[in-house]
Amino acid sequence: MTTTIRRCTATALALLTGLTLVTAPAPVSAHAGGATQSALDALVRTHGFPGALASVTDRSGRQRDLTAGVGDLSTGAKPPRDGYVRIGSNTKTFTAVVVLQLAGEGTVGLDEPIETYLPGLVPNGAQITVRQLLQHTSGLANYTDHMPDESFDTGRHRYREPRELLDVAFAHAPDFAPGTGWRYSNTGYVVLGLLIQRVTGRPLAEQITERVIDRVGLRRTYFPGVGDESIRTPHPRGYLGPDRTDVTELDPSWGWAAGQMIATPRDLNTFLRALLDGKLLGAAELAEMQRTVDASAGLWPGARYGLGLASSPLSCGGVYWGHGGDLPGFETRGGATTDGRAVSIALTTTPDSAERHQHVLDAVDTAFCR
């Protein structure tokens, strides 16, 4: 899937401590919960995912947390309700929010060349705008398509600096001239992370934490520190490949501004509802974020991509806004609607086919529409 950080190493799938107590959630309607539970059960029993977690929020803000399958294959333990998972490319939406906040403050211009802020860094940077980096229309090669060939066991524990990731991308020709096409590129978001650091003079993780996580009270969302390969508890284990290799512990630095973060399904719902409700961006900046281009050829049927935010059609009418993301061992999909509904589903392995990925999208649609 091009919506994910697609490779940790050449052998990874090419698509893409402390105890926290969970309070009992207020129920959503039994009908909605039943349909979603059945969809999660099908993902496990019929489509081969080890475990699944979901959070469903209705228009009034009532939440229901659901699970299916097994959260730890070695013990048989169930997945924890609202457990922490690696959220992969959902990180891009957090990064985009910070960039758009800076635009609203007059610090960054969306249609300014990236060369203005990071002179000499990006090849042809005088022709590539901040907006194009946010919207995947820059043409920059996707570094995760070209990661060095090394064993997965070695590669998953290696720390990578952002500039190292860009060196991989910039060794390859652009996919197209800036603004003339659309192709998902993690490279653009690494550049945007460096942009944030340059104009604020502060670390990316700090800016995301202060400007987004703390502002809307996301108590179970964080940007892992340098060298942190763990996931806070409670969490399910993450698995990769047909032999179900446990890849829960890995260094996520190769995702950085494009995919390093960890959260829970409920926090993802809270984040997206707050975003669409105008609690993180001014009206003008949110409107820019939701100005979309057709991305169905690179994502899934009906998908459109804005500035770090995608819209997807619902079978019951309308669209939901979100992103989704994969990192080895985990997939997350879902979003929120403008009337306050939200759904986040997390799986404990990365889908190995377009068909299995579609089953996840179908489960999201079920949670919204039935």
Side-chain angles (χ1 to χ4, degrees):
M1 280 299 302
T2 51
T3 58
T4 67
I5 293 185
R6 296 169 59 176
R7 295 172 61 192
C8 179
T9 69
T11 57
L13 286 178
L15 302 170
L16 252 207
T17 70
L19 179 64
T20 303
L21 299 178
V22 183
T23 57
V28 184
S29 72
H31 177 71
T36 305
Q37 185 65 62
S38 295
L40 294 184
D41 291 340
L43 288 173
V44 172
R45 296 172 183 170
T46 305
H47 306 304
F49 291 93
L53 303 80
S55 185
V56 181
T57 308
D58 69 12
R59 291 177 178 86
S60 68
R62 293 180 300 172
Q63 297 173 309
R64 183 180 180 91
D65 299 322
L66 307 167
T67 68
V70 176
D72 187 333
L73 294 178
S74 67
T75 67
K78 294 181 179 180
R81 289 180 182 270
D82 199 39
Y84 288 93
V85 295
R86 299 192 188 277
I87 63 171
S89 287
N90 290 287
T91 303
K92 291 181 176 67
T93 309
F94 288 80
T95 299
V97 167
V98 175
V99 173
L100 286 160
Q101 288 175 347
L102 293 170
E105 295 163 11
T107 307
V108 170
L110 293 178
D111 296 308
E112 277 292 308
I114 192 61
E115 184 74 10
T116 301
Y117 308 105
L118 296 168
L121 176 67
V122 180
N124 199 29
Q127 304 302 317
I128 295 173
T129 67
V130 173
R131 183 188 302 276
Q132 289 166 349
L133 294 169
L134 286 164
Q135 201 157 36
H136 300 298
T137 57
S138 71
L140 292 175
N142 186 7
Y143 70 85
T144 50
D145 290 339
H146 305 285
M147 295 295 283
D149 188 8
E150 58 186 336
S151 73
F152 183 71
D153 283 343
T154 300
R156 69 187 261 216
H157 298 297
R158 180 178 171 187
Y159 172 74
R160 291 176 171 86
E161 292 279 356
R163 288 297 299 266
E164 179 184 353
L165 304 176
L166 296 184
D167 287 345
V168 172
F170 297 159
H172 298 270
D175 295 320
F176 48 81
T180 64
W182 190 93
R183 188 170 187 270
Y184 196 88
S185 177
N186 294 297
T187 306
Y189 275 78
V190 173
V191 175
L192 291 166
L194 293 174
L195 164 66
I196 290 169
Q197 294 191 153
R198 174 63 62 86
V199 301
T200 65
R202 301 301 304 166
L204 171 67
E206 177 187 283
Q207 289 296 293
I208 287 177
T209 300
E210 293 182 355
R211 289 173 170 269
V212 184
I213 294 173
D214 290 347
R215 185 173 297 187
V216 293
L218 304 179
R219 297 183 178 88
R220 294 163 67 85
T221 299
Y222 67 102
F223 199 107
V226 173
D228 186 358
E229 297 192 349
S230 67
I231 302 176
R232 293 176 185 171
T233 56
H235 67 80
R237 309 295 295 178
Y239 301 95
L240 187 65
D243 60 351
R244 296 290 188 257
T245 300
D246 189 329
V247 294
T248 308
E249 285 76 35
L250 56 78
D251 192 315
S253 58
W254 57 273
W256 199 52
Q260 185 162 332
M261 292 178 65
I262 291 172
T264 70
R266 182 182 282 214
D267 256 19
L268 283 175
N269 284 357
T270 300
F271 165 59
L272 289 168
R273 292 178 81 235
L275 175 60
L276 296 183
D277 198 35
K279 295 178 180 177
L280 287 166
L281 295 174
E285 288 70 47
L286 182 57
E288 292 285 0
M289 194 177 210
Q290 293 179 291
R291 287 178 56 189
T292 61
V293 297
D294 180 23
S296 56
L299 298 182
W300 50 83
R304 298 186 63 84
Y305 202 92
L307 305 185
L309 191 67
S311 69
S312 304
L314 287 167
S315 64
C316 51
V319 302
Y320 65 92
W321 294 89
H323 200 286
D326 294 5
L327 220 63
F330 296 95
E331 166 157 295
T332 50
R333 287 293 181 271
T337 60
T338 55
D339 64 3
R341 292 173 292 157
V343 172
S344 289
I345 295 178
L347 290 309
T348 60
T349 193
T350 313
D352 55 5
S353 69
E355 180 182 10
R356 293 183 78 203
H357 176 75
Q358 185 60 50
H359 292 315
V360 180
L361 295 177
D362 291 344
V364 172
D365 186 82
T366 294
F368 272 117
C369 292
R370 298 182 187 175

